[in-house]
Amino acid sequence: MSSLDQSVFASRRQQLAQAMGANAIAIIATREEMYRNRDADYKYRPDSSFYYLTGFAEPEAVAVLETDDQGELCYTLFCRERNRALEIWNGYRAGIEGALAQYGADQAFVIEDLDDEIISLLAGKDKLYVRFGQTKKFDVRVGEWCHAVQLKQRQGDRAPQHLIQLDGLLDEMRLIKSADELALMQMAGKISAEAHTRAMQKVRPEMMEYALEAELHYVFGQYGGVPAYNTIVGGGANACILHYVENNQMLKSGDLVLIDAGCEYQYYAGDITRTFPVNGKFTGEQKALYEVVLTAQLAAIDATRVGNHYKLPHEQVLRILTEGLVDLGLLKGELNELIETEAYNQFFMHGTGHWLGMDVHDVGQYKVNGEWRAYQEGMVVTVEPGLYIAPDDESVDEKWRGIGIRIEDDVVLTNDTPLILTKDVVKSIDDIEHLMAESR
Ligand code: GLY
Ligand code: MN
Ligand code: MN
């Protein structure tokens, strides 16, 4: 069971039902199990939106939310039947009994009955909300269910006439985090920060990237957490590969190592990047570039405030990075023109952040009515500028080549100053060098 009280999930269902209006039905399935190899699956992780509404973490489950003419909600959960033999092999199942007693369902059926039962649940509803485009198989099934209701027209049944993308409503709900959610994200941030601190303390020249990865995952595991996404440990020029996850090279003295790793705690993600010297001391060039990225990151965090539009931190980052690149001689030209022509793209080719929540790249629109949306209290966003000087970039002096730096923190929008969930891991050059010296 989740550490969130069942009443949290019940009130989310109520909120969604209200947004759906009267005489509507929403069908939401969790993810399927993922095959790994031979007879082994990946460890199961439920679909975030399904879990957000149900608190139910088993595979093979479908939630149906119906509203009647008065807008009153009825919640039906389809799930796996209890089965003593299978439970001995594969673990506990809530079954119909659990769906009713523990998970707040008004009615529950075994998943095998879905095709039969859904027809009568659909009949006569005006609006059908589903998450189109999740899997082809599910989209086809929804079409078949609607068709089956239509075939019963002569008995007076009518399939929903309005098919609506459910994600529109759900994503907006998920975008604004409640106090309960922020408490979990605070934990995800703290654990992630502890893991990065440990990595700074444990790293040694000639260590393998994967061994350092294991130090981070060790911390996640101590709290019952898992990696929120594939951990990136990039030594030297590997840091210039944005999604480097092989993590199979040796870390060298004199190089930096870039670690992008976050803990998923109770289904909420942390997402931190830190870049630090393998031997504990930054070189002159590394320091110079690092200071530029850090200045940009601090300015961007400061711009992450309620009322500012989503792209403002990114615009600050582009200006500061471009200025820094000119100062260091990596770009030549007039500042505004370099920004306008996106000259920085050579060294900074990604955005400055993204929504963070149950998914690392969390749901929620970035634009509303064609405009970058304004930050609101309860949103959580990452701030992650970087500079990456490709190892084969002959347009710059050799001394810069192969240096990759990113600094990333998780920030909550509050009505006061930005709240940094990941502040427990140091990021100034002095603090990093000091921490690393202490652990040697
Ligand atoms: N770790 C993925 C990202 O920073 O976007
Ligand atoms: Mn990120
Ligand atoms: Mn990241």
Side-chain angles (χ1 to χ4, degrees):
M1 293 284 281
S2 167
S3 68
L4 288 177
D5 194 86
Q6 278 304 308
S7 63
V8 171
F9 301 102
S11 73
R12 290 171 180 169
R13 292 192 292 270
Q14 284 295 347
Q15 195 187 336
L16 179 63
Q18 224 165 22
M20 286 161 48
N23 209 23
I25 180 168
I27 309 173
I28 176 160
T30 193
R31 265 196 37 214
E32 293 187 357
E33 293 216 68
M34 279 217 357
Y35 172 73
R36 184 172 184 274
N37 61 319
R38 183 72 173 157
D39 57 355
D41 288 331
Y42 284 99
K43 193 175 163 79
Y44 186 68
R45 177 7 171 121
D47 173 84
S48 297
S49 286
F50 175 85
Y51 186 84
Y52 178 84
L53 288 174
T54 63
F56 194 74
E58 292 181 30
E60 297 182 73
V62 172
V64 179
L65 306 184
E66 285 171 86
T67 55
D68 65 14
D69 291 340
Q70 313 317 315
E72 285 297 312
L73 170 66
C74 177
Y75 167 37
T76 306
L77 184 60
F78 292 85
C79 61
R80 300 180 305 186
E81 194 169 21
R82 292 209 67 178
N83 179 319
R84 193 173 152 69
L86 283 176
E87 283 179 60
I88 287 170
W89 283 91
N90 299 329
Y92 174 75
R93 297 172 168 201
I96 290 177
E97 306 89 315
L100 298 170
Q102 292 167 263
Y103 291 94
D106 298 309
Q107 55 178 352
F109 299 98
V110 296
I111 189 71
E112 288 78 9
D113 289 348
L114 176 62
D115 285 329
D116 290 337
E117 295 295 337
I118 200 77
I119 307 300
S120 49
L121 297 179
L122 278 168
K125 293 293 180 215
D126 183 32
K127 294 184 277 186
L128 168 58
Y129 289 85
V130 284
R131 302 169 72 214
F132 294 105
Q134 295 288 312
T135 66
K136 256 191 200 160
K137 201 162 117 189
F138 186 70
D139 290 354
V140 168
R141 271 179 100 183
V142 170
E144 286 169 352
W145 293 332
C146 288
H147 182 63
V149 182
Q150 263 159 7
L151 290 181
K152 294 172 69 179
Q153 218 163 25
R154 269 177 289 160
Q155 282 112 288
D157 285 342
R158 188 168 197 243
Q161 297 300 295
H162 303 281
L163 304 187
I164 305 169
Q165 178 65 281
L166 176 58
D167 287 334
L169 294 180
L170 260 182
D171 293 359
E172 285 301 299
M173 285 172 63
R174 282 179 52 191
L175 178 59
I176 308 294
K177 275 71 178 175
S178 67
D180 291 321
E181 291 181 289
L182 289 175
L184 295 178
M185 293 195 72
Q186 184 80 253
M187 262 313 274
K190 270 188 175 303
I191 300 165
S192 306
E194 185 180 325
H196 279 263
T197 302
R198 183 180 172 93
M200 288 181 192
Q201 291 167 331
K202 292 282 180 182
V203 69
R204 294 288 182 277
E206 294 178 26
M207 194 170 178
M208 296 302 286
E209 291 166 341
Y210 52 69
L212 196 51
E213 176 181 6
E215 297 292 348
L216 290 130
H217 292 190
Y218 170 81
V219 175
F220 299 169
Q222 296 307 305
Y223 294 91
V226 293
Y229 51 90
N230 288 332
T231 292
I232 295 169
V233 180
N238 291 337
C240 299
I241 303 167
L242 297 181
H243 292 154
Y244 174 79
V245 290
E246 285 85 357
N247 303 349
N248 59 5
Q249 299 300 306
M250 188 180 276
L251 297 166
K252 296 197 205 91
S253 184
D255 279 352
L256 294 175
V257 56
L258 180 155
I259 300 183
D260 186 343
C263 177
E264 179 180 289
Y265 177 75
Q266 300 280 338
Y267 302 108
Y268 286 84
D271 184 8
I272 300 184
T273 307
R274 287 292 184 268
T275 312
F276 50 92
V278 170
N279 64 14
K281 278 298 233 187
F282 286 83
T283 67
E285 285 76 27
Q286 292 165 354
K287 259 188 193 168
L289 284 171
Y290 191 94
E291 286 296 0
V292 174
V293 178
L294 184 58
T295 305
Q297 205 237 8
L298 294 174
I301 290 175
D302 196 51
T304 305
R305 291 186 186 244
V306 168
N308 285 350
H309 71 82
Y310 172 75
K311 275 288 174 185
L312 190 69
H314 185 60
E315 288 166 5
Q316 308 261 5
V317 160
L318 296 181
R319 178 156 292 271
I320 293 168
L321 292 185
T322 307
E323 256 168 11
L325 289 163
V326 170
D327 288 347
L328 297 175
L330 283 140
L331 283 179
K332 288 180 183 56
E334 197 271 319
L335 182 65
N336 288 324
E337 200 176 310
L338 290 170
I339 293 171
E340 227 159 85
T341 56
E342 302 180 4
Y344 51 78
N345 253 329
Q346 184 180 348
F347 308 114
F348 178 53
M349 57 300 275
H350 58 76
T352 290
H354 49 81
W355 306 132
L356 184 71
M358 297 186 76
D359 296 312
V360 63
H361 294 163
D362 207 31
V363 293
Q365 293 298 319
Y366 288 88
K367 277 190 171 179
V368 175
N369 300 326
E371 302 285 341
W372 294 114
R373 77 189 299 164
Y375 286 118
Q376 289 167 248
E377 191 182 5
M379 291 173 166
V380 184
V381 71
T382 67
V383 181
E384 49 180 306
L387 283 176
Y388 314 92
I389 321 296
D392 57 354
D393 187 342
E394 297 193 351
S395 74
V396 301
D397 194 300
E398 202 177 336
K399 65 182 181 181
W400 303 112
R401 293 183 205 157
I403 299 179
I405 295 164
R406 181 164 63 255
I407 308 172
E408 175 174 27
D409 283 297
D410 305 342
V411 177
V412 182
L413 275 298
T414 75
N415 277 328
D416 199 349
T417 47
L419 172 68
I420 305 173
L421 296 173
T422 46
K423 63 173 176 24
D424 290 354
V425 53
V426 295
K427 61 183 173 185
S428 76
I429 289 178
D430 280 352
D431 287 348
I432 291 174
E433 288 189 344
H434 184 71
L435 176 80
M436 294 184 74
E438 267 185 341
S439 60
R440 252 134 253 264

